Amino acid sequence: MSADSEIDIKEAFQRAQKGHNNKAKLVASLNSRYNKLEDKTLFHEEFVHYLKYAMIVYKREPAVENVIEFVVRFATSFQSPPKTEEEEEEKEEEEEEDDAEDDHPFLSFIFNFLLESHKANSHAVRFRVCQLINKLLGSMAENAQIDDDLFDRIHQAMLVRVTDKFPNVRIQAALAMTRLQQPKEPDCPTINAYMLILDNDTNAEVRRAVLSCIAMSPRTLPKVLKRTRDIKENVRKLAYQVLADKVHIKALTIAQRVGLLQQGLHDTSEAVREVVCSRMLPSWMLRLDGNVIELLHRLDVENCAQTALDTLKAIFKGTPTEELLQNRVQLDNRKLIPVDSLSCENVLYWRALYEFIKAKGEDGDEILEQVLPDAAIYADYLYGYLKTVPLLSEEQRADFNQLELVMTKEFISQQLIHLIGCLDTNEEGGRKRVFAVLQEMLALPQTPSSLVSLLTEKLLTLVPDDHRRIQTVAELISDLREPINEASQPVDENMSRRQQVQLAEVKVSILEAKQTLEDCITTQDFSRAAELKDAITELENRRNQIIQEIAESNQPADKEPRTEKNDPETLLRCLTMFAELLKQMSLKTRIGPTISALMSSLVLPSIANAHPAVRNMAVQCLGTCTLHSKELAKTHMVLLLQIAQLDEVKIRICALRAIIDQLLLFGFQLLSDPAATQTVLPSQSPDRQGDGPVAEKKGDVAEDTAQSILVMLSEFLDSEVSDLRTETAEGLAKLMYNGRISSAKMFSRLVLLWYNPVTEDDIRLRHCLGVFFQLYARESRVHQEVVEEGFLPTVRTLMNAPATSPLAEVDINNVVELLVELTRPSALIKASANTEEVCVHDYLAVRMCGEMLKDPTAPEVRLYAKTLSNLELSRDETVRKDLQVLLQQLVQVVKDRVCLCALEKMIYQLVNSREQAELLSASALQPLDVNADELAADDPSKSAKKAKKGQRKVCTAKGGRKSSRRAESSEESDGENVPESVPVVRPSRRAKTAALEKTKLDLNPLINQEANLS
């Protein structure tokens, strides 16, 4: 047997370990030897014997991986090459006759060996078994077939292994079942296992592995969609990639498409956002032939306008500017979309394109000029379209088709109004025309109420001065509430014509009489002249009477005295405009006579209106207006408090927001009288002006009012109305973070609310409080002291919670860990400059020791003893000595063995801390020992002793254990991804080479050793 053509199994395995060897030649040579053997049994046993050396290695060593690859290639080399369709059709009959030749004996032997080994005690063997099965099945041809019995055995074995304790085993088992899926079967075990893993597996890499191989079907799609909200960034990223590659946009519902875009474009991870923009959106566009309008149509832009705008901007970012102009909607010669062609999709595209180009700044000005219409032309265009929006009666609103048409027109109108912000209003004529059109549209009775706020906003942006804004809105409100009514009837044209004829006849008669009078005077017929003179006087009186009648009929219609309109629709329009004015005004602008008049004539009467929408808007106006005047806030605080407790939920929430805003701006000293305010202010620092509820120098009235407000807020935290509860919690978080409230009791209430299972579905509340706790505790030491004061009350409440209370389900250990982390001195953003200052954990340790001494048999003693070892204590010797005394007293009275172990361990650490301090002070004067690491590496026992002796506190040791666990976990689950390396000091190149040689695993010594022993 020549070495070139045939080699023995041992040599093949030795060569296969080297990456540079050609595995195809090794496979061919070994295959040649195998085919010449009559009895394959010895070959099978020897092959498996050498394979076992690789299977007992768990770490992903290059040599072992090369051996695994060689085994897979050799095992699958006995399969016939893939056949064409014609060859398959020709040999269908032959395959039916020769069923026994489906599987090669060696391949069946390998599979049987692996299936017998999958239950081994060693996790390394289980991992390699699953890895080999995965690679064997993956290396087979697409049309390969295996025996049904073998299929079932592999299936059952891998279903067991996907529940293995080790993540890497689960990953390989999940990948091995890729080709065993049967998506068309309603109850496929593989798919059921995959869905169970996606929902419940705690390891992110296992979930990623399943995502990469799960078949898409109506059953599996919801599970994949759920992974787009996974806690791990890599899982979310892969979920979007899978959806982009495997799922057609038509297979998703509108809600699913909108949800994917809304979450993906606003994901906290930039990598996920990039995948959505670069993979999923281009995939959808490709399936829609690049038609953006069609994509918008499949998103239902009327109900998700903002998501559609974000989607369009993401598409525009990846599109060259020239293509943007080519793909724009069809505009006429006025650079406008024809009114007949307006739709929700193209008008939103129009708006998004203009806003995107304008956001480029100077770079987009030139492009914007090519597509932007003239301001005056656009104003007339907008006015013409708004006049076509019909007003529906109550009967017409019952017709869904008419209602849908009006809603569509209102949406288009909103987008057209938004486009005003992109117009060039620097030119005086265009700006005046836009301003006049906006004013006229606000005055039109058929303008929908939903557009009033937006129209007012755009109108006020054209007026830079606050006083002019106030005057403009006041005039509009006056015209709306007190319109001019015409009383007289229209003029009758026939009557006017008769009057003109009568006047002409009288004038002719006067002229004739005057001529006759002159003749009579000439002939000196004075008696006749006197008669004519009287007749002329009568004719002139008649003429004057007719002229007066004509003048009265031609005068403008008489104006009745203005009557004030108080119907709900008019009041709501006026209040909406007033609220928008207050939003646009600067807080520095004081309340003037005009605002005061509007408050007394419009806002305050509307608070008592029977219509809820009117009351809600009035409360919003009142709350916003009080922010401009401290005196006004004092005056109406009681009214807002009453509304917050008595009205409908929506109005109560609006009043609560107003109260919170006032307290944030003015502090609780707003509740005191002016005299008390003047006496208290000089003695308070600016940072503590808001601590009214806890200051003893306040007046009794202010304290009572502040206390009643806090009691009200505390009651709202227990409300069954989730929106009211959430708004209250958010308001209290703002007040505490800004220093307006400093209350350990209130902080404890918020912590309990956060953990309460009742609020599990309130995502906004959980998110708000979760962010608040971290920001609040890290802001200052004072805040940490508040958290420390609330520690024991929180624990007591949870420990004493009855079994029927939802708080009984809360994990107290988790709550304690959170509070300990929040009060950790190292967590502060700005560490205290005073290094000798006693840290918060010192106080917390003393408090817990005191609690344990009160009742050493209480159930919470074990919790406190465990928590003591997690504290980050200061280096103050006095504190440590006092704490040591307390711990020694506890050791004498506590009987629980677990608690005693924890307490003795704490005492041991406190004693060793002094030795550590001495070592640190001594080593500060010694030169750095460069070879210390090498010595420690040579003598692990010394290294371990040194580490143990150098532990300053238990939290450091605990952190070390956690990091090692994390490293182990990442090593275990490195199936597809390399774990992130921990930053360390960079060694020299020579040290790197030496370390690399040491870490390389070679199976040859093990094989040779076994051969020598045998």
Side-chain angles (χ1 to χ4, degrees):
M1 182 178 62
S2 62
D4 294 335
S5 60
E6 296 180 5
I7 59 174
D8 58 9
I9 300 175
K10 178 180 177 181
E11 185 180 357
F13 271 87
Q14 288 176 339
R15 288 190 185 182
Q17 296 179 53
K18 309 299 180 182
H20 55 79
N21 276 295
N22 191 336
K23 292 184 178 59
K25 290 184 178 180
L26 290 176
V27 168
S29 178
L30 197 61
N31 200 342
S32 174
R33 179 169 182 242
Y34 178 82
N35 291 330
K36 292 180 180 180
L37 295 175
E38 295 181 2
D39 185 9
K40 317 288 186 181
T41 306
L42 293 177
F43 184 93
H44 291 171
E45 292 178 356
E46 187 179 357
F47 190 91
V48 166
H49 173 74
Y50 290 114
L51 175 60
K52 289 178 180 178
Y53 289 105
M55 292 180 65
I56 61 175
V57 181
Y58 181 67
K59 193 174 180 182
R60 305 294 289 266
E61 294 287 351
V64 180
E65 297 300 317
N66 289 331
V67 169
I68 297 295
E69 186 66 27
F70 163 72
V71 171
V72 171
R73 285 196 181 190
F74 180 72
T76 54
S77 65
F78 297 103
Q79 277 196 320
S80 57
K83 302 173 184 177
T84 61
E85 294 181 1
E86 296 178 357
E87 293 175 349
E88 288 180 358
E89 292 176 359
E90 292 175 0
K91 295 188 177 182
E92 276 182 0
E93 297 179 358
E94 298 179 5
E95 288 177 359
E96 292 177 0
E97 297 175 359
D98 302 331
D99 291 339
E101 298 181 0
D102 285 347
D103 297 330
H104 194 275
F106 182 79
L107 192 60
S108 299
F109 172 77
I110 287 293
F111 271 122
N112 289 331
F113 165 72
L114 294 174
L115 292 174
E116 291 172 0
S117 306
H118 86 91
K119 294 183 179 179
N121 291 332
S122 171
H123 63 277
V125 175
R126 299 197 302 272
F127 166 68
R128 294 300 176 182
V129 166
C130 295
Q131 183 187 26
L132 280 167
I133 293 177
N134 171 33
K135 288 183 176 291
L136 285 170
L137 293 176
S139 300
M140 291 182 177
E142 290 185 8
N143 56 354
Q145 296 180 353
I146 61 175
D147 184 63
D148 290 342
D149 182 55
L150 180 60
F151 177 92
D152 293 337
R153 290 175 61 201
I154 294 174
H155 201 180
Q156 293 301 323
M158 293 301 100
L159 286 175
V160 173
R161 291 279 67 83
V162 291
T163 61
D164 197 277
K165 177 181 178 181
F166 286 81
N168 261 345
V169 181
R170 301 201 298 272
I171 289 173
Q172 295 300 327
L175 294 174
M177 291 196 297
T178 303
R179 300 188 68 175
L180 306 182
Q181 298 179 84
Q182 296 174 329
K184 294 182 180 179
E185 286 192 8
D187 195 23
C188 174
T190 302
I191 291 180
N192 291 340
Y194 278 169
M195 294 193 297
L196 193 65
I197 292 171
L198 287 178
D199 281 340
N200 301 312
D201 201 294
T202 57
N203 189 278
E205 293 303 322
V206 180
R207 300 196 297 272
R208 288 186 74 247
V210 172
L211 274 177
S212 66
C213 60
I214 191 171
M216 286 294 107
S217 68
R219 288 181 61 215
T220 60
L221 180 59
K223 302 295 182 182
V224 177
L225 289 172
K226 189 177 180 181
R227 287 306 103 205
T228 60
R229 301 186 296 276
D230 196 277
I231 192 173
K232 293 294 183 180
E233 169 190 335
N234 288 336
V235 181
R236 300 197 302 273
K237 180 180 175 182
L238 183 60
Y240 280 107
Q241 291 176 353
V242 170
L243 289 170
D245 298 337
K246 297 183 180 180
V247 181
H248 197 286
I249 185 174
K250 294 181 180 179
L252 300 169
T253 64
I254 291 177
Q256 289 171 342
R257 297 170 199 154
V258 174
L260 284 173
L261 291 172
Q262 193 170 7
Q263 295 159 15
L265 293 174
H266 298 93
D267 196 281
T268 55
S269 168
E270 185 178 353
V272 176
R273 298 196 299 270
E274 180 63 27
V275 166
V276 175
C277 296
S278 62
R279 293 283 295 273
M280 193 175 76
L281 279 177
S283 172
W284 287 4
M285 291 291 294
L286 184 64
R287 290 181 170 97
L288 297 175
D289 300 327
N291 192 336
V292 184
I293 303 299
E294 181 66 21
L295 175 63
L296 293 178
H297 181 69
R298 296 187 181 277
L299 294 180
D300 187 20
V301 295
E302 290 184 61
N303 296 318
C304 59
Q306 189 56 49
T307 302
L309 285 172
D310 295 337
T311 304
L312 287 173
K313 289 174 183 177
I315 295 174
F316 293 158
K317 285 180 181 178
T319 307
T321 307
E322 296 76 12
E323 293 185 20
L324 286 178
L325 297 180
Q326 292 174 2
N327 297 336
R328 70 178 187 268
V329 289
Q330 298 298 321
L331 306 179
D332 57 17
N333 54 1
R334 300 177 299 167
K335 302 177 184 177
L336 298 169
I337 300 178
V339 176
D340 299 337
S341 303
L342 278 175
S343 66
C344 296
E345 289 77 22
N346 61 16
V347 73
L348 192 71
Y349 180 89
W350 196 19
R351 172 194 168 188
L353 179 63
Y354 285 177
E355 290 181 351
F356 177 76
I357 297 175
K358 188 171 184 179
K360 290 187 173 183
E362 296 180 357
D363 298 336
D365 289 344
E366 185 176 347
I367 306 172
L368 203 59
E369 290 179 2
Q370 301 177 21
V371 295
L372 200 63
D374 182 71
I377 295 175
Y378 184 80
D380 294 333
Y381 172 80
L382 174 62
Y383 181 67
Y385 185 82
L386 273 180
K387 290 180 70 175
T388 63
V389 180
L391 273 177
L392 297 182
S393 62
E394 291 298 329
E395 296 178 357
Q396 291 174 326
R397 287 182 180 276
D399 187 354
F400 181 76
N401 293 328
Q402 291 190 11
L403 185 61
E404 185 179 13
L405 178 63
V406 172
M407 291 175 66
T408 301
K409 284 183 172 290
E410 287 185 13
F411 178 81
I412 295 174
S413 301
Q414 286 179 357
Q415 306 311 314
L416 293 176
I417 295 169
H418 276 294
L419 273 172
I420 293 176
C422 299
L423 297 175
D424 182 11
T425 54
N426 294 325
E427 193 267 324
E428 184 70 19
R431 184 172 66 253
K432 285 185 176 180
R433 181 57 187 156
V434 173
F435 186 81
V437 166
L438 289 175
Q439 277 187 313
E440 193 167 351
M441 285 190 291
L442 283 170
L444 281 176
Q446 64 261 33
T447 302
S449 301
S450 59
L451 303 179
V452 172
S453 178
L454 191 56
L455 286 169
T456 309
E457 177 189 344
K458 297 302 178 184
L459 176 72
L460 297 178
T461 55
L462 300 175
V463 184
D465 182 50
D466 277 348
H467 296 290
R468 283 187 58 199
R469 289 176 176 175
I470 294 170
Q471 191 64 30
T472 302
V473 173
E475 291 174 359
L476 285 170
I477 292 175
S478 177
D479 291 341
L480 277 174
R481 291 201 71 192
E482 300 177 356
I484 300 173
N485 298 321
E486 296 182 355
S488 62
Q489 298 294 328
V491 180
D492 188 356
E493 293 184 359
N494 295 327
M495 177 66 69
S496 177
R497 191 177 298 109
R498 285 197 296 271
Q499 289 175 343
Q500 293 292 341
V501 171
Q502 291 176 2
L503 179 61
E505 290 176 354
V506 171
K507 287 182 178 179
V508 170
S509 300
I510 290 174
L511 290 175
E512 291 176 351
K514 286 183 177 180
Q515 186 64 37
T516 306
L517 177 61
E518 291 178 0
D519 294 342
C520 290
I521 293 173
T522 304
T523 57
Q524 296 184 355
D525 187 357
F526 296 107
S527 59
R528 177 65 177 159
E531 293 175 359
L532 288 172
K533 189 175 181 180
D534 294 337
I536 290 172
T537 302
E538 291 179 0
L539 289 172
E540 286 179 347
N541 292 335
R542 175 62 180 161
R543 181 194 64 184
N544 293 336
Q545 184 180 358
I546 295 174
I547 290 174
Q548 186 177 359
E549 291 177 358
I550 293 175
E552 289 177 355
S553 63
N554 290 335
Q555 277 183 357
D558 294 338
K559 298 177 183 178
E560 289 185 354
R562 293 191 176 189
T563 57
E564 194 172 64
K565 296 175 68 175
N566 289 317
D567 59 288
E569 187 175 352
T570 302
L571 289 175
L572 191 58
R573 280 171 172 264
C574 296
L575 289 168
T576 303
M577 287 192 285
F578 187 46
E580 194 60 43
L581 168 66
L582 294 171
K583 290 179 187 176
Q584 298 287 338
M585 283 171 53
S586 170
L587 276 178
K588 296 180 181 179
T589 304
R590 299 294 92 189
I591 299 298
T594 307
I595 297 290
S596 299
L598 288 173
M599 282 287 296
S600 59
S601 63
L602 176 65
V603 177
L604 294 177
S606 298
I607 287 178
N609 195 282
H611 201 274
V614 175
R615 291 204 308 276
N616 185 56
M617 189 58 68
V619 172
Q620 184 178 335
C621 291
L622 177 61
T624 312
C625 199
T626 52
L627 299 179
H628 293 265
S629 171
K630 191 173 182 179
E631 295 300 323
L632 198 63
K634 287 181 183 180
T635 305
H636 298 293
M637 173 60 81
V638 177
L639 176 61
L640 289 172
L641 288 172
Q642 292 175 348
I643 296 172
Q645 297 178 71
L646 301 176
D647 216 316
E648 295 184 4
V649 173
K650 186 177 180 181
I651 305 172
R652 292 172 65 188
I653 291 175
C654 188
L656 180 61
R657 288 175 182 167
I659 294 169
I660 297 295
D661 288 342
Q662 290 179 28
L663 295 177
L664 282 172
L665 185 62
F666 302 116
F668 278 87
Q669 60 179 328
L670 173 71
L671 308 174
S672 61
D673 56 343
T677 304
Q678 292 175 3
T679 58
V680 172
L681 279 176
S683 63
Q684 286 185 328
S685 63
D687 295 335
R688 305 293 293 176
Q689 286 181 1
D691 296 337
V694 295
E696 295 180 358
K697 297 182 181 180
K698 294 283 186 179
D700 293 338
V701 177
E703 288 185 0
D704 293 343
T705 310
Q707 191 66 26
S708 63
I709 291 177
L710 292 179
V711 169
M712 180 191 75
L713 295 177
S714 181
E715 291 174 354
F716 285 171
L717 289 178
D718 297 327
S719 174
E720 296 180 358
V721 182
S722 61
D723 292 339
L724 184 62
R725 185 174 59 223
T726 301
E727 200 67 42
T728 306
E730 185 176 342
L732 284 171
K734 291 178 182 177
L735 290 170
M736 294 187 70
Y737 183 74
N738 288 278
R740 297 301 185 186
I741 296 178
S742 181
S743 171
K745 182 179 179 181
M746 200 61 72
F747 185 85
S748 174
R749 289 293 307 276
L750 293 179
V751 171
L752 295 172
L753 183 66
W754 194 51
Y755 276 100
N756 198 324
V758 174
T759 63
E760 186 175 1
D761 296 331
D762 198 338
I763 299 174
R764 182 185 163 200
L765 173 67
R766 289 289 180 98
H767 179 71
C768 171
L769 291 180
V771 174
F772 161 70
F773 291 147
Q774 296 292 334
L775 293 178
Y776 180 75
R778 296 178 61 197
E779 181 68 22
S780 69
R781 177 189 161 84
V782 176
H783 291 174
Q784 284 193 339
E785 291 176 359
V786 173
V787 179
E788 182 260 332
E789 289 177 15
F791 179 88
L792 291 179
T794 305
V795 174
R796 289 195 199 103
T797 304
L798 292 174
M799 295 296 294
N800 299 328
T804 56
S805 172
L807 293 177
E809 303 175 16
V810 177
D811 183 4
I812 303 179
N813 292 313
N814 194 303
V815 179
V816 170
E817 288 177 8
L818 171 69
L819 297 177
V820 169
E821 289 299 321
L822 292 180
T823 52
R824 200 172 290 280
S826 58
L828 285 173
I829 297 175
K830 293 182 180 179
S832 176
N834 185 7
T835 56
E836 298 180 358
E837 187 178 26
V838 180
C839 71
V840 177
H841 274 191
D842 295 341
Y843 290 121
L844 189 58
V846 173
R847 282 176 181 268
M848 285 192 289
C849 289
E851 284 294 311
M852 287 189 283
L853 285 171
K854 287 181 181 178
D855 186 3
T857 61
E860 60 265 25
V861 170
R862 181 178 290 189
L863 176 65
Y864 292 146
K866 178 184 175 182
T867 306
L868 281 173
S869 61
N870 296 331
L871 299 181
E872 190 175 316
L873 302 177
S874 66
R875 299 179 182 178
D876 189 353
E877 286 299 325
T878 305
V879 175
R880 287 179 173 268
K881 287 180 181 179
D882 295 341
L883 189 57
Q884 187 176 345
V885 172
L886 289 172
L887 290 172
Q888 289 173 348
Q889 293 177 7
L890 281 169
V891 170
Q892 297 175 1
V893 296
V894 173
K895 304 301 180 183
D896 186 74
R897 183 173 298 178
V898 177
C899 295
L900 283 174
C901 291
L903 295 173
E904 290 172 355
K905 185 178 180 181
M906 189 70 185
I907 294 173
Y908 177 74
Q909 291 168 2
L910 290 175
V911 172
N912 285 352
S913 64
R914 300 178 188 175
E915 299 177 8
Q916 178 192 6
E918 294 174 1
L919 287 173
L920 289 174
S921 61
S923 62
L925 301 175
Q926 298 297 327
L928 181 64
D929 188 359
V930 180
N931 299 321
D933 293 337
E934 296 180 5
L935 293 174
D938 294 338
D939 192 353
S941 61
K942 292 181 181 180
S943 175
K945 290 179 181 178
K946 182 182 291 185
K948 185 174 182 181
K949 188 175 182 180
Q951 288 177 351
R952 183 170 61 87
K953 46 186 177 296
V954 177
C955 62
T956 306
K958 183 180 178 184
R961 288 198 300 272
K962 282 187 176 179
S963 63
S964 65
R965 286 180 184 175
R966 284 195 295 268
E968 182 183 356
S969 175
S970 62
E971 184 181 348
E972 290 172 359
S973 60
D974 63 349
E976 303 301 319
N977 290 341
V978 178
E980 296 182 1
S981 58
V982 180
V984 294
V985 180
R986 184 177 181 181
S988 64
R989 185 178 299 275
R990 184 175 300 173
K992 282 183 178 180
T993 307
L996 188 61
E997 291 297 331
K998 288 181 181 179
T999 57
K1000 284 185 177 179
L1001 180 66
D1002 190 0
L1003 298 177
N1004 292 333
L1006 293 174
I1007 296 175
N1008 294 332
Q1009 182 181 1
E1010 181 72 18
N1012 294 334
L1013 291 175
S1014 62

